[in-house]
């Protein structure tokens, strides 16, 4: 379950309930939403949004795949995440979607594991870990898949 801890009042508020694991929580830039992963089964993780004002949970993904590590774009209108949908054998790609989940685009398409995405502060690039050779942190333009490359190269 996810909880919100108020540093001033030292109050603890439970945000989610249920038997599934919720992990990788992150506030939206405006603080109105929390994105997180919900473990539906051993091999099925979905991206969820919790609207803090209403307590409503929105399922952004609902695939029989591991959709994980959501990260907010600075504009608060997009999220990037890792998914192994359309993949087998331990590989995964980076996807971007709108906050309402209507538009989904794959940013990477390679037979490697690409994970742990995060946005550049200006929102122009997505940085992620890649297990390609050489392994390391790579970046790709938000409107890519132009050129996937290591920073500084």
């Amino acid at each position: 379950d996810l909880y919100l801890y108020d540093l001033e009042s030292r109050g603890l508020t439970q945000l989610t309930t249920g038997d599934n694991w919720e992990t990788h929580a992150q506030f939206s830039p405006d603080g109105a939403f929390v994105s997180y992963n919900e473990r539906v089964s051993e091999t099925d993780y979905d991206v969820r949004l919790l609207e803090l004002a209403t307590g409503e949970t929105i399922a952004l993904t609902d695939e029989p795949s591991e959709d994980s590590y959501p990260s907010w774009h600075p504009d608060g209108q997009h999220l990037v995440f890792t998914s192994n949908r359309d993949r087998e054998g331990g590989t995964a790609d980076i996807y971007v979607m709108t906050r309402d989940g209507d538009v989904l685009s794959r940013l990477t398409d390679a037979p490697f594991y690409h994970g742990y995405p995060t946005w550049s502060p200006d929102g122009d690039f997505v940085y992620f870990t890649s297990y390609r050779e050489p392994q390391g942190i790579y970046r790709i333009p938000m409107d890519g898949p132009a050129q996937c490359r290591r920073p500084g190269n």
Side-chain angles (χ1 to χ4, degrees):
D1 294 334
L2 297 179
Y3 291 83
L4 182 63
Y5 181 73
D6 186 309
L7 292 173
E8 255 182 50
S9 71
R10 297 181 182 242
L12 189 64
T13 304
Q14 187 169 1
L15 300 177
T16 61
T17 60
D19 295 331
N20 294 336
W21 295 352
E22 290 94 11
T23 61
H24 306 293
Q26 188 180 65
F27 285 101
S28 61
D30 64 5
F33 295 89
V34 173
S35 63
Y36 64 95
N37 283 126
E38 181 177 16
R39 182 180 185 229
V40 179
S41 72
E42 190 172 318
T43 59
D44 186 4
Y45 291 76
D46 290 322
V47 176
R48 306 281 191 236
L49 280 189
L50 174 68
E51 187 174 5
L52 292 172
T54 65
E56 178 186 2
T57 299
I58 303 158
L60 290 183
T61 64
D62 191 19
E63 294 285 322
S65 60
E66 293 182 21
D67 298 332
S68 55
Y69 309 111
S71 178
W72 288 95
H73 187 278
D75 70 6
Q77 300 302 310
H78 299 87
L79 291 107
V80 66
F81 66 99
T82 299
S83 180
N84 67 355
R85 62 181 68 203
D86 305 322
R87 292 285 182 195
E88 294 181 14
T91 62
D93 286 305
I94 304 296
Y95 289 79
V96 64
M97 71 176 139
T98 55
R99 182 174 75 185
D100 58 15
D102 284 345
V103 178
L104 177 69
S105 301
R106 183 189 299 194
L107 292 181
T108 63
D109 188 8
F112 309 102
Y113 179 84
H114 296 137
Y116 313 103
T118 191
W119 295 95
S120 62
D122 61 10
D124 289 343
F125 293 94
V126 174
Y127 289 84
F128 60 94
T129 299
S130 178
Y131 293 172
R132 70 177 64 208
E133 288 298 329
Q135 293 183 9
I137 297 172
Y138 285 74
R139 75 176 185 187
I140 192 166
M142 189 237 182
D143 58 1
Q147 186 177 6
C148 179
R149 53 192 290 219
R150 295 176 78 177
N153 290 338

